[in-house]
C-alpha cells in the first residue's frame, strides 16, 4: 500500500538531548498506526515534526505527498491534530467552539451546526455544551478538544495520547470514532501509553525509546518477540513463591518474573510439555496452586522488554523529548 506518511532519518535535538535520533516510518493510507513508548521517548516530538509544528534538524518527512518543511502549508490543509493538552477557547461555549472550528474548516453554517451537534451527543457534552469552556473540568475540556479535531475528516489525523484523562466510556467512544474515520479513508497516527489502546486500534505499532524506533510490526509480531507463549503460575501461599520460581526455572531454563502482590510467577513456555513438566515439579515440591496456564505474551511484556532502560533517562531528557 502507498505510504501517506513517510519519515526518513528524522533527527530533532533540544540542546544536548536527541529527542529524535534517526526515526524512519512508513505508514499506509487508511490505517491506524501507533507510536508506543515511555515518557521522554520522542513520540510527541515525532508527531509535532510531522504536523509541521517543529522543524527537523536532519532527515526528511512527507505527509499526503507533501514535504513537511518545503510544503508545510499544503500539509496543514490535509491534516487534523489533537495534542496532549486541550486547545479550545475558554471564553466561548463548547458548542460555539465546535461551530467555529467547523466554519474555519470551510463547512457551511448549517453543516457546522449539524456536525457540532452530532459530536456533542457522541461525547456526552449536552449538559455543558452551552456553558463557557472556562467552567469545564479538565476531562470535559479534553473531550471537547477531541470532538473539535474530528469535526472534519482529514486525510491524516494526528492524535497525541488522545484518551489520557478520559473515563472508560469516553475512551470507548473515541475508539469507535477513530475506527469510523479510518473506514472512511482517514489515516490515523496516534501516540499512546495505553497498551490496550495500541493493541485494540493499531494495525502496526512502532515502539520508540530514546528517540529511536526499537521495534516495529503488527501487535502479533511484536508479541512474538517476547518468547511467544508464557506460562503463568499462581500459588496459594506467599511462602511457596520461592519453590514455584525454582520449578519454573528448572523446566523452562529461563529466569521467571514474580508479582508478589498477586502471587503470580511467569516464564516463557515453548509447548504444552512445559506446562506438564512444571505441574509435576510443583506437585513434587508440595506447592498448592490457585491457577496455572499458558497464554500469549502481552504488549506489556513487549513494552517492558524493549524499553526497560528507557524509564531511567535523566529528568531533563524526559521534559524536552516527550
Amino acid at each position: 500500500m502507498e505510504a501517506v506518511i513517510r519519515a526518513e532519518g528524522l533527527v530533532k535535538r533540544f540542546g544536548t538531548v536527541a529527542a529524535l535520533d534517526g526515526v524512519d516510518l512508513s505508514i499506509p493510507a487508511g490505517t491506524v498506526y501507533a507510536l508506543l513508548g515511555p515518557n521522554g521517548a520522542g513520540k510527541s516530538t515525532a508527531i509535532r515534526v510531522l504536523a509541521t509544528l517543529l522543524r527537523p534538524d536532519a532527515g526528511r518527512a512527507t505527509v499526503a505527498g507533501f514535504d513537511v518543511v518545503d510544503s508545510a502549508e499544503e500539509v496543514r490543509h490535509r491534516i487534523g491534530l489533537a495534542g496532549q493538552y486541550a486547545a479550545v477557547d475558554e471564553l466561548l461555549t463548547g458548542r460555539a467552539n465546535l461551530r467555529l472550528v467547523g466554519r474555519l474548516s470551510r463547512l457551511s453554517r448549517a453543516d457546522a451546526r449539524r456536525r457540532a451537534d452530532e459530536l456533542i451527543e457522541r461525547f456526552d457534552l449536552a449538559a455543558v455544551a452551552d456553558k463557557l469552556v472556562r467552567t469545564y473540568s479538565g476531562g470535559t475540556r479534553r473531550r471537547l478538544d477531541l470532538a473539535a479535531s474530528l469535526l472534519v475528516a482529514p486525510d491524516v489525523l494526528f492524535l497525541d495520547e488522545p484518551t489520557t484523562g478520559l473515563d472508560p466510556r469516553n475512551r470507548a467512544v473515541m475508539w469507535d470514532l477513530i475506527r469510523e474515520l479510518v473506514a472512511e479513508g482517514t489515516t490515523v497516527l496516534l501516540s499512546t501509553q495505553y497498551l490496550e489502546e495500541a493493541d485494540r486500534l493499531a494495525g502496526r505499532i512502532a515502539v520508540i525509546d530514546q528517540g529511536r524506533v526499537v521495534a516495529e510490526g503488527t501487535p502479533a509480531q511484536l508479541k512474538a518477540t517476547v518468547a511467544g507463549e508464557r506460562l503463568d503460575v499462581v500459588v496459594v501461599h506467599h511462602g511457596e513463591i520461592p519453590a514455584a520460581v525454582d520449578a519454573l526455572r528448572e523446566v523452562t531454563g529461563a529466569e521467571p518474573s514474580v508479582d508478589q502482590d498477586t502471587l503470580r510467577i511467569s516464564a516463557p513456555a515453548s509447548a504444552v510439555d512445559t506446562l506438564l513438566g512444571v505441574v509435576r515439579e510443583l506437585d513434587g515440591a508440595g506447592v498448592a496452586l490457585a491457577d496455572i496456564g499458558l497464554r500469549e505474551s502481552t504488549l506489556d511484556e513487549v513494552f517492558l522488554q524493549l524499553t526497560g532502560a528507557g524509564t531511567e533517562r535523566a529528568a531533563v531528557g524526559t521534559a524536552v523529548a516527550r
Side-chain angles (χ1 to χ4, degrees):
M1 297 176 64
E2 181 182 355
V4 71
I5 301 172
R6 188 181 299 277
E8 298 172 352
L10 282 186
V11 174
K12 183 63 185 178
R13 295 185 178 89
F14 297 95
T16 60
V17 177
L20 299 178
D21 191 14
V23 168
D24 297 322
L25 296 171
S26 181
I27 302 174
T31 62
V32 179
Y33 194 98
L35 302 180
L36 183 65
N39 288 338
K43 306 184 301 295
S44 294
T45 301
I47 285 181
R48 292 173 69 191
V49 168
L50 293 170
T52 76
L53 298 178
L54 285 176
R55 188 184 184 99
D57 296 321
R60 180 174 183 270
T62 59
V63 175
F66 295 95
D67 189 278
V68 299
V69 175
D70 297 336
S71 304
E73 193 65 28
E74 293 292 342
V75 172
R76 291 171 191 147
H77 286 313
R78 291 163 174 80
I79 67 172
L81 169 66
Q84 289 186 20
Y85 306 103
V88 288
D89 192 329
E90 294 186 343
L91 301 180
L92 297 177
T93 66
R95 193 183 306 276
N97 264 283
L98 294 178
R99 291 179 178 179
L100 175 61
V101 171
R103 295 293 285 147
L104 291 173
S105 302
R106 298 185 175 86
L107 292 181
S108 69
R109 194 177 301 276
D111 285 342
R113 287 198 301 267
R114 176 186 56 78
R115 186 63 177 147
D117 290 345
E118 288 175 357
L119 289 167
I120 285 169
E121 184 67 26
R122 289 296 298 273
F123 277 92
D124 195 22
L125 292 166
V128 297
D130 297 310
K131 296 180 180 179
L132 296 180
V133 171
R134 69 186 180 191
T135 67
Y136 287 13
S137 67
T140 303
R141 290 189 191 199
R142 185 59 173 160
R143 281 185 282 149
L144 178 64
D145 188 48
L146 292 170
S149 72
L150 299 173
L151 251 159
V152 178
D155 293 340
V156 176
L157 179 61
F158 296 110
L159 299 174
D160 195 1
E161 300 190 15
T163 59
T164 298
L166 296 185
D167 59 38
R169 178 185 178 279
N170 281 294
R171 187 174 298 153
V173 168
M174 187 64 189
W175 291 353
D176 287 342
L177 286 169
I178 290 173
R179 293 186 184 102
E180 289 174 12
L181 285 172
V182 172
E184 294 167 3
T186 295
T187 303
V188 175
L189 174 61
L190 68 90
S191 72
T192 184
Q193 295 184 65
Y194 290 115
L195 301 170
E196 180 190 8
E197 186 162 81
D199 206 0
R200 294 271 295 271
L201 288 177
R204 297 188 72 83
I205 298 169
V207 181
I208 294 184
D209 192 33
Q210 301 186 68
R212 299 180 181 181
V213 176
V214 296
E216 196 273 351
T218 66
Q221 288 169 339
L222 292 177
K223 291 172 187 176
T225 66
V226 187
E229 288 188 318
R230 307 279 296 182
L231 173 62
D232 280 353
V233 169
V234 181
V235 298
V236 174
H237 305 293
H238 195 276
E240 295 175 321
I241 289 178
V245 168
D246 290 342
L248 265 70
R249 185 188 296 119
E250 175 69 25
V251 175
T252 67
E255 187 62 32
S257 61
V258 178
D259 186 329
Q260 297 282 349
D261 293 333
T262 63
L263 308 183
R264 183 180 301 273
I265 304 97
S266 177
S270 57
V272 174
D273 289 345
T274 304
L275 173 61
L276 297 176
V278 168
V279 169
R280 284 193 291 266
E281 286 286 330
L282 293 172
D283 184 58
V287 174
L289 295 179
D291 192 20
I292 186 170
L294 291 170
R295 62 169 175 80
E296 184 184 47
S297 296
T298 67
L299 276 183
D300 299 63
E301 287 155 341
V302 174
F303 183 88
L304 291 172
Q305 176 169 302
L306 295 175
T307 67
T311 56
E312 298 173 3
R313 62 176 53 77
V316 63
T318 299
V320 300
R322 183 173 181 181

